[in-house]
Amino acid sequence: MFSNEMTELLNIKYPIIQAPMAGGITTSTLVAEVSNSGGLGMIGAGYMTPVQIREQIREIKKLTSNPFGINLFVPNEFRVTENEIKSSNQLLDPIRQQLHLPQQDNFEPPYFESVFEEFIQQIKVVMEEKIPICSFTFGIPSREWMTELKKSNIILIGTATTVTEAVENEKAGMDIVVVQGSEAGGHRGNFINRSQESSIGLMSLIPQVVDNVSIPVVAAGGIMDGRGLIASKCLGAMGVQMGTAFLTCIESGAHKVHKEAILHAKEDETILTRSFSGKWARGINNKFIIEMKKHEAFLPDFPIQNTLTQDIRKASILQNKQDFTPLWSGQSPRLAKNQTVESLIQTIIAEARKLISIEAR
Amino acid sequence: MFSNEMTELLNIKYPIIQAPMAGGITTSTLVAEVSNSGGLGMIGAGYMTPVQIREQIREIKKLTSNPFGINLFVPNEFRVTENEIKSSNQLLDPIRQQLHLPQQDNFEPPYFESVFEEFIQQIKVVMEEKIPICSFTFGIPSREWMTELKKSNIILIGTATTVTEAVENEKAGMDIVVVQGSEAGGHRGNFINRSQESSIGLMSLIPQVVDNVSIPVVAAGGIMDGRGLIASKCLGAMGVQMGTAFLTCIESGAHKVHKEAILHAKEDETILTRSFSGKWARGINNKFIIEMKKHEAFLPDFPIQNTLTQDIRKASILQNKQDFTPLWSGQSPRLAKNQTVESLIQTIIAEARKLISIEAR
């Protein structure tokens, strides 16, 4: 019932991928426990240095002998003016005051060249450490790097939010494509049309993508249990990638403030915002999002805005405040539980088996 | 496989409801053919006069002996100032010019009292004509009218876009609730939170609603084929309501311009707009939506804006122009076909049976 082309490619028992959530959520224990429970654990390495990546890969190898993967952010070009930084800081300074943080006067914006160089160094570590699976968000690496990765026998997973993006991933040589529905928490993976408006629900996205690509499709967005797994499979996906469901697990490194916010949220409390990072992302609505809302169209691009809000995000969570913390969540927070990874995966599989037997009656 | 509490309540063979699309789409032939093919045909009577409703019910009764239903719009209170009408007309007049229409100088806004009185007259016809099923959009009728309708043994269906709205429908005595996902084409059924932001994808919405109500749940939004039907059932719905899939059918009364637009559209070409009617609705992006976009937050409420744009919508379609026509569509236009209702329903049922047998392996 659960074995297919995708589970064979990834060499896993169940068609469940733990979403590679960046920012400290994917602890080595989380990743290893997912892989030990028959799914695919993934390191969310988007914001990690090459050194940190190497360390975590080695740590996880000690905790599991099953395959696990890693996710990298493909850098998008960005431009920024001093004025844009100044206006963004003018909006952020009153918030800094509320958090007892100093004003930011001499901000040094990151250069695209150095962001890109870091990305190449991340890829090199991935290849050197012989990690079997690597996924990408925000775009597709250049042909040159796709060839290098393939030479290293790494299974490559792309991310798409539309049919066109899925087709581009297939053309570029990805082995699998994750389709991210509008339900998904965290950053939107759009890389062709970068507006928020191409947010397509999974009920529409999965069948239209599978009709247009021949590589395995994995569904992501709002999937939390056996119902979501079997529904995704009926729509044509070979498996699912789940973020929020793993985020509230005991083994996840998400801060208590973040976990609690999700565990108490309702399905209509999340919103798309670009105020935290400069890229559209779905999280639980809070004071920061509300205060920045009318300016969000004019904020600097990712990763500039992300760097600008770094001190605020850190301080807010250290002070146990939901108000100025990005509370990334998909649209199914009512289905989130605080449980072990093993219990989550076992429950999904049991539910899925039961559902199929009921429908087949 | 297809018989359940919902099909028993509605006395239909297959758990498929044809969405009650307003504005001339639900011809008597469409409604009757759906019911004759084992689904539930529905009259989209939102904009119809009591006299027109009576005539159509009688016409359909001649074409089918199976049950069919009707949908009414519950009027929401609205307020409007002369200035708002003036500014909206200032935006619409250049469009009128392009369509060779006269400027609108002495517009008489509808009064809430008369809109409400019309609604009561619609309900009375529904009861007098002994139609077995009546659904509601944009709200829930008053307790008094719910009681009257129940006394007439009419099965009542409510519409919800969130868990809270579904719970309110159950509390009010609805027998069934249709949950409208963000994928859905046409008007959003939100009636508690009227902003567009509580647009929840079906993958999230269905399971969270079924966990919180005990009446049968019907899924609506982006569902076009057997995959969508079985996926919705796995998520906990007892059936589906499909709009776009029926809109492009041969029997539908949608204008050729509208059908053709859907048959050629891609999944990322629809957008939420309130420019046509004053209420958020999903349609294929076109010149009208783009030109009105930056003003849409300030346009008068439904039904004022709808009345203001009436001449434009009529002229645009009469001139075979997509540009200024509301091209309502869900997010799955790539799955739309121009076929007979019978063929659509038969194909869905065959696909659904096949899917279940594959998953059960």
Side-chain angles (χ1 to χ4, degrees), chain B residues 89-159:
Chain B
N89 265 331
Q90 270 167 1
L91 296 166
L92 297 172
D93 277 339
I95 294 171
R96 292 194 175 102
Q97 219 163 10
Q98 291 182 61
L99 291 163
H100 315 292
L101 286 169
Q103 312 291 79
Q104 261 202 20
D105 298 322
N106 36 18
F107 173 78
E108 273 293 325
Y111 285 98
F112 177 72
E113 291 68 21
S114 61
V115 172
F116 187 77
E117 181 50 33
E118 181 94 345
F119 173 62
I120 298 306
Q121 294 309 319
Q122 290 177 325
I123 291 186
K124 284 182 179 165
V125 172
V126 165
M127 293 194 297
E128 285 160 17
E129 294 295 322
K130 300 194 189 308
I131 193 161
I133 296 137
C134 184
S135 79
F136 296 93
T137 320
F138 307 145
I140 300 170
S142 67
R143 191 174 302 191
E144 178 199 345
W145 284 105
M146 288 293 289
T147 309
E148 285 300 311
L149 285 155
K150 281 181 163 294
K151 269 194 218 154
S152 310
N153 289 315
I154 298 175
I155 300 287
L156 303 177
I157 307 180
T159 307

Side-chain angles (χ1 to χ4, degrees), chain A residues 47 138 180 182-190 194-196 199 270-285 289 293 296 302 306 326-330:
Chain A
Y47 301 126
F138 306 145
Q180 185 193 35
S182 56
E183 297 91 343
H187 283 99
R188 303 290 311 149
N190 305 30
R194 293 207 205 138
S195 79
Q196 60 157 322
S199 280
T270 74
I271 188 171
L272 287 171
T273 180
R274 62 186 296 275
S275 298
F276 279 114
S277 72
K279 240 190 222 302
W280 290 105
R282 181 177 297 286
I284 298 167
N285 204 2
I289 297 175
K293 189 150 189 63
E296 71 179 347
F302 184 90
N306 198 52
L327 303 167
W328 304 141
S329 168

Side-chain angles (χ1 to χ4, degrees), chain A residues 92-163:
Chain A
L92 297 171
D93 277 340
I95 294 172
R96 291 194 176 102
Q97 220 163 11
Q98 292 183 60
L99 290 164
H100 314 291
L101 286 169
Q103 313 290 78
Q104 260 201 22
D105 299 322
N106 36 19
F107 173 76
E108 274 292 325
Y111 286 97
F112 176 70
E113 291 69 21
S114 61
V115 172
F116 187 77
E117 181 49 33
E118 182 93 344
F119 173 61
I120 298 306
Q121 295 308 319
Q122 290 177 324
I123 290 187
K124 284 182 179 164
V125 172
V126 165
M127 293 195 297
E128 285 160 18
E129 294 296 323
K130 298 191 191 312
I131 195 163
I133 295 137
C134 184
S135 78
F136 296 93
T137 319
F138 306 145
I140 300 169
S142 66
R143 191 174 302 190
E144 177 200 348
W145 283 105
M146 286 294 287
T147 310
E148 284 300 312
L149 285 155
K150 282 180 161 297
K151 269 194 218 154
S152 309
N153 289 316
I154 298 175
I155 299 288
L156 303 177
I157 306 180
T159 308
T161 65
T162 59
V163 173

